[in-house]
Structures are given as C-alpha cells and as structure tokens.
C-alpha cells in the first residue's frame, strides 16, 4: 500500500512538473529566461541537484551549455563538447537517450563542466535525452541523480524526454521568430535604401500622384501589403485619396483580375447597408421582388472596399464582425449560409482608438479590420506634391474642355502656401473652379477667390476639432459693448467675434495693449515678435494680447518663420 501511494505521489508530481514547464515556455519567447525557469522547476520538483541544457552551436561546430541549474558560471563556460564526444555528443549525434547508472564506472562519460563527476560515498547517475524536432536534433537535456534505494532512472528518463520535447519546440519557435524578424529588418532596410536611391517613380502607383517623401513611403507600404490576403485599414483625413490607394492595392494583388467592389458605409442606413452588403431573398421585405446578391457575393474572389467604416452603427458592427470572422453570412430573409472569399480593405477618417475608448466602436471589430494600417498624409504635409497635382488636374481639365490653360509662378506660390483642409479633393475643386472662371490662357494669383477674400473654405482652415465628420460648433456672434464696459487689457470677452486669419489675411493692426508699456509696431512680423516678448514667449498669452486664437497665432508664427524661444 505504501509503494502504491508513493508511486501515485510521484506520478502526480511529474504531471505538475510538465504542466508548470509548459506554462513557462508558452508565456514568453525569451528562451534564456524561460529555459532557466524550466530547469529550476525540474530540479525542485524532481529532486535533481544539477541539470543543464546543451545546444548545438552551428557557427562554432560544437556543443555548449546554454542554461543550467546547480552549476557555477565558470562551470557553464567550461561546458563545451565536440560533435560525438562523450555521452552528450553521442546523444546529439544519434538522437537517442542515454542513462549512465554510475558515472564513476562509465568510461564514455566526459565531464567538461566539472560539476557532474563522481562524488565520495555517493553513487551518481547521469541521464541525457535529446532536444529533438521533426527535422533535427537541436541539443540535449542532461540531469544528475543520486542513486538511492527505490530510485527508478527509467522514470527520470521518461519525464526528461517529455520536458526535452517542450524545450525543443520552444527553441524551434524562437529560431523561426528570430529568422523572420531578421528577414523583415533586411527587407525594410533594402526598401529604405531603394527609396533613397530612387525617390521618384520607383514605387509609383497608377492614378496616384505623389513624388514627396511621405507619399513614397505610402507607396512602399502599398507594395508590401498588396500581395498578401491581410485586411488593410487606410487612415487619413477626408480627401487624401484613400479610394485611389485601395484600387492600387487591388490591382497590385493576385486578385487584380477579380472584381473590385466599393461601398460607402456612411451613405446608407443600417437596414439598407445590410441588404447592400449581404443581399436579400425574394419577399424579405416590402419591395424585394426577387433575389439579390450583396456586395460580399459580388466581390467573391476579389476585393471589397468599405469606405467610412467608422460610421457604421454599433448594431451593424456585430453583424459585420461575424462575417469577418467566419467569412460567411446569410442574406436578409434567408437561412442558408453563403461562404465568400474576399480581400477586405477599409478606410476611415475617424479616430477609431478614441471611439473604442468611449464605447462607440467594438474593440473586437477594431482588431479585425486594423491588421495592416496605412496612414495617408494630409496635403499640407506633402506640399512637394502640389505642383504635380495641379499639373495633373489642369491637364485633365484642358482635355475635357479643349483649352490650353497654364499656371503662373505667382499662382503656384498661392497654391503651395494654402492650408488645404479639404486636401486633394479641395485642391481639385479649386483648380476646376478657377479654371472655369478665368479669362485668358494663364491662371494668375489674383484669379483665386482667396485673393479677394471670397474663399468659402477659408473658415475651415482653423477648425478646432479632432473628428473631421463631427458637427462643428457655430462661431460666436459679435455683441455690441456699452461704452463704459471694456475688457481688461490683454483679455477678450468670450462673446467677442474673433477674426479668422487665413493664408492671405493679416493679424489685427491694433492689438489690445492698454496695460502694456510699449506701443506695438506696424509690421505683422514685428507685431508678432513684440507680443511674444511682452508675454514671455508664452503663445497662449500672446494670442489673447493680439485678440486671435492660439491656432491662428501658431500659423502666423510659422508663416513668418519665427522660432519660439524656450526657457
């Protein structure tokens, strides 16, 4: 009865040992730390005074100790064997375990470390098992056992073999991750060098104009992402060309001969969007006279582009998540599952991360669509692309309207200086509007509405809002002030009308300076420097002094190339 109980206790401890080691190895890819922790569990639970993991160093063509327990650092460093040398070399060469019942009587036992040798009045056994995968032997797991009454070395061999299998899998996974990481680093380095050598044209996309460095980086990412099946999320402000990039990804992918289907999620209600994407059966609702395939089915084998994905309702987000997970859906009014093979490209100008934090967007759907993110820079951050874009739009306008317009250098300077809150879409609109109304064959700077203070989008240049599609608060309306009631110096009443400063406007000529000792100068640049010096180079105070918003002040400082001093 005692023997049976002891056997059950050992079996229970062996199970706990294997479980703990498995948990340690799956918790981290750092095999140095994981292997040491695994050896500590093995030695403590199985009462093994010394144990070590020996790995094959292919570069040095020898076997050496990787991790150990019960060995000093000097002993670890001495642990080196030639292939086939001693018990360690024999196990790694043959892939078969070896049990040495008494190291004092084994001539083939070679202890390079000096830690596993025979000890006085103690019979020490040495158990070695290979770290073996399907393809090769990576090394060996060795442990020492004091042979006492009842000790069964076969049980040690069985446990060590299970542990060695787990260690080998962890080492193989670590090598695969390391190799893939190195490959990606080399590929990124190669692409960066190629981008520097050939900044123009090398990674050009059809129907996408962009010679600037930010757009060339976007082109590199498009070329990397296009060949795969991964879902792509295009991020950026409205009007930056997300649909054009989506088309480029499709036509650079293996699915280029299959359909490219697009859906604007913001343009449809929830019920219409469900019918549009999934289709409907005959009689599913009033007006459903026949069966209709949805966009997912129409895009089978190809690419589905979901624009404004951040605008779908929370209820529809759950339905969309199921389709993305299972790649199957049911038509509206139907019960038969329809399987599809679709590459998904999504686009949004929303801040999805903030929406997830506020509970407006499902986190699980966010992770499904945000596999590969490509950020499209706004036009104001890629001003080098404005001249080629202007040439592209003007050339198209000339062909469609049989004209031969060109842009003067002064007019091009106005275009390159604009803030462009509407990005490429606004630039295209501006070119077409101006080209339509201009007389003669040359567009001069005075032809633009902003030069006559008639630009309708100028008020959008300084909107203080993070979400491009959220409602805009109305501007404060001016309110007449009694003659006896004036705001204090340097302070603006909250109901005062604030003058908006666009690219062609100037700062107010007479700032409020009743309590300031010196008079403001006349020039705009001089007034800016004067105000900043009066306020200790604090922009918020200077903005109040000049009766403008901090954003307007920041733009004016940038336009006049005034470097803000920091103390």
């Amino acid at each position: 009865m005692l023997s049976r109980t002891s056997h059950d206790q050992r079996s229970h401890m062996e199970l706990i040992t294997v479980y703990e080691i498995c948990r340690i190895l799956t918790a981290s890819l750092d095999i140095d730390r994981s292997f040491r922790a695994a050896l500590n569990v093995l030695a403590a639970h199985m009462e093994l005074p010394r144990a070590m993991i020996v790995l094959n160093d292919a570069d040095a063509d020898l076997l050496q100790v990787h991790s150990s327990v019960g060995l000093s650092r000097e002993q670890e460093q001495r642990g080196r064997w030639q292939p086939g040398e001693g018990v360690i070399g024999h196990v790694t060469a043959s892939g078969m375990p070896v049990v040495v019942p008494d190291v004092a009587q084994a001539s083939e036992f070679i202890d390079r470390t000096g830690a596993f040798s025979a000890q006085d009045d103690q019979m020490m056994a040495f158990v070695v098992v290979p770290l073996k995968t399907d393809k090769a032997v990576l090394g060996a797991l060795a442990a020492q056992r004091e042979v006492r009454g009842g000790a069964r070395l076969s049980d040690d061999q069985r446990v060590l073999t299970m542990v060695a299998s787990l260690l080998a899998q962890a080492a193989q996974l670590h090598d695969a991750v390391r190799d893939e990481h190195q490959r990606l680093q080399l590929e990124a380095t190669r692409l960066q060098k190629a981008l520097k050598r050939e900044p123009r044209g090398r990674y050009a996309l059809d129907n996408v104009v962009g010679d600037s460095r930010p757009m060339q980086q976007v082109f590199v990412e498009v070329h990397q992402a296009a060949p795969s099946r991964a879902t792509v999320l295009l991020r950026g402000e409205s009007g930056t060309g997300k649909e054009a990039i989506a088309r480029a990804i499709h036509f650079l992918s293996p699915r280029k001969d299959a359909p490219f289907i697009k859906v604007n999620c913001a343009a449809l209600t929830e019920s219409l969007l469900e019918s549009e994407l999934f289709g409907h059966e005959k009689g599913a609702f009033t007006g459903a006279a026949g069966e209709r395939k949805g966009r997912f089915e129409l895009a089978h084998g190809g690419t589905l582009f979901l624009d404004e994905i951040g605008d779908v309702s929370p209820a529809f987000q759950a339905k969309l998540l199921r389709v993305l997970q299972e790649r199957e859906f049911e038509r509206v009014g139907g019960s038969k599952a329809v399987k599809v093979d679709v590459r998904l490209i999504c686009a949004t100008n929303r801040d999805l991360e903030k929406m997830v934090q506020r509970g407006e967007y499902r986190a699980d759907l966010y992770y499904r669509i945000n596999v590969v993110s490509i950020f499209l820079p706004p036009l104001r951050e890629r001003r080098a692309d404005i001249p080629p874009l202007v040439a592209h739009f003007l050339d198209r306008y000339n062909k469609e309207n049989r004209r031969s317009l060109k842009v003067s250098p002064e007019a091009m300077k106005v275009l390159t200086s604009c803030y462009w809150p509407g990005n490429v879409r606004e630039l295209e609109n501006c070119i077409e509007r101006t080209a339509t109304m201009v007389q003669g064959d040359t567009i001069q700077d005075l032809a633009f509405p902003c030069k006559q203070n008639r630009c309708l989008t100028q008020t959008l240049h300084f909107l203080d809002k993070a979400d491009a599609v959220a409602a805009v608060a109305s501007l404060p309306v001016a309110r007449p002030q009694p003659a006896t009631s004036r705001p204090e110096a340097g302070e603006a009443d909250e109901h005062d009308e604030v003058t908006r400063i666009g690219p062609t406007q100037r700062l107010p000529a007479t700032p409020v300076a009743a309590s300031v000792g010196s008079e403001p100068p006349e020039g705009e640049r001089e007034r800016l420097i004067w105000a900043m010096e009066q306020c200790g180079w604090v922009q918020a105070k200077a903005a109040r002094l000049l009766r403008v918003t901090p954003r307007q002040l920041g733009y004016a400082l940038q336009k006049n190339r005034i470097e803000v001093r920091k103390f």
Side-chain angles (χ1 to χ4, degrees), residues 426 428-438 449 455-457:
E426 184 187 0
E428 181 181 9
N429 177 278
C430 180
I431 294 298
E432 186 173 359
R433 179 176 63 244
T434 306
T436 301
M437 302 304 295
V438 74
C455 180
L456 297 178
T457 62

Side-chain angles (χ1 to χ4, degrees), residues 433-447:
R433 179 176 63 244
T434 306
T436 301
M437 302 304 295
V438 74
Q439 296 180 353
D441 293 334
T442 303
I443 298 177
Q444 301 290 344
D445 55 342
L446 295 177

Side-chain angles (χ1 to χ4, degrees), residues 244-288:
I245 295 296
R247 287 186 179 274
I249 293 174
H250 170 72
F251 288 110
L252 287 172
S253 72
R255 300 169 179 258
K256 60 182 179 180
D257 297 325
F260 175 81
I261 306 296
K262 60 179 181 177
V263 179
N264 188 338
C265 299
L268 301 171
T269 62
E270 181 180 335
S271 58
L272 288 177
L273 184 59
E274 183 177 3
S275 175
E276 191 71 24
L277 288 179
F278 306 144
H280 60 255
E281 299 286 353
K282 181 179 179 180
F285 49 83
T286 304

Side-chain angles (χ1 to χ4, degrees), residues 231 277-278 296 304 306 309 316-329 340 342-346 361 364-371:
T231 301
L277 288 179
F278 306 144
F296 270 98
L304 179 63
L306 298 181
I309 192 67
F316 190 77
Q317 291 173 23
K319 300 176 183 178
L320 185 60
L321 176 65
R322 180 180 176 275
V323 179
L324 300 185
Q325 288 176 335
E326 306 297 334
R327 295 294 176 178
E328 67 177 25
F329 58 91
V340 290
V342 172
R343 167 76 177 285
L344 194 66
I345 301 178
C346 303
Y361 208 81
D364 43 9
L365 179 59
Y366 168 80
Y367 292 123
R368 281 290 176 183
I369 65 175
N370 191 27
V371 179

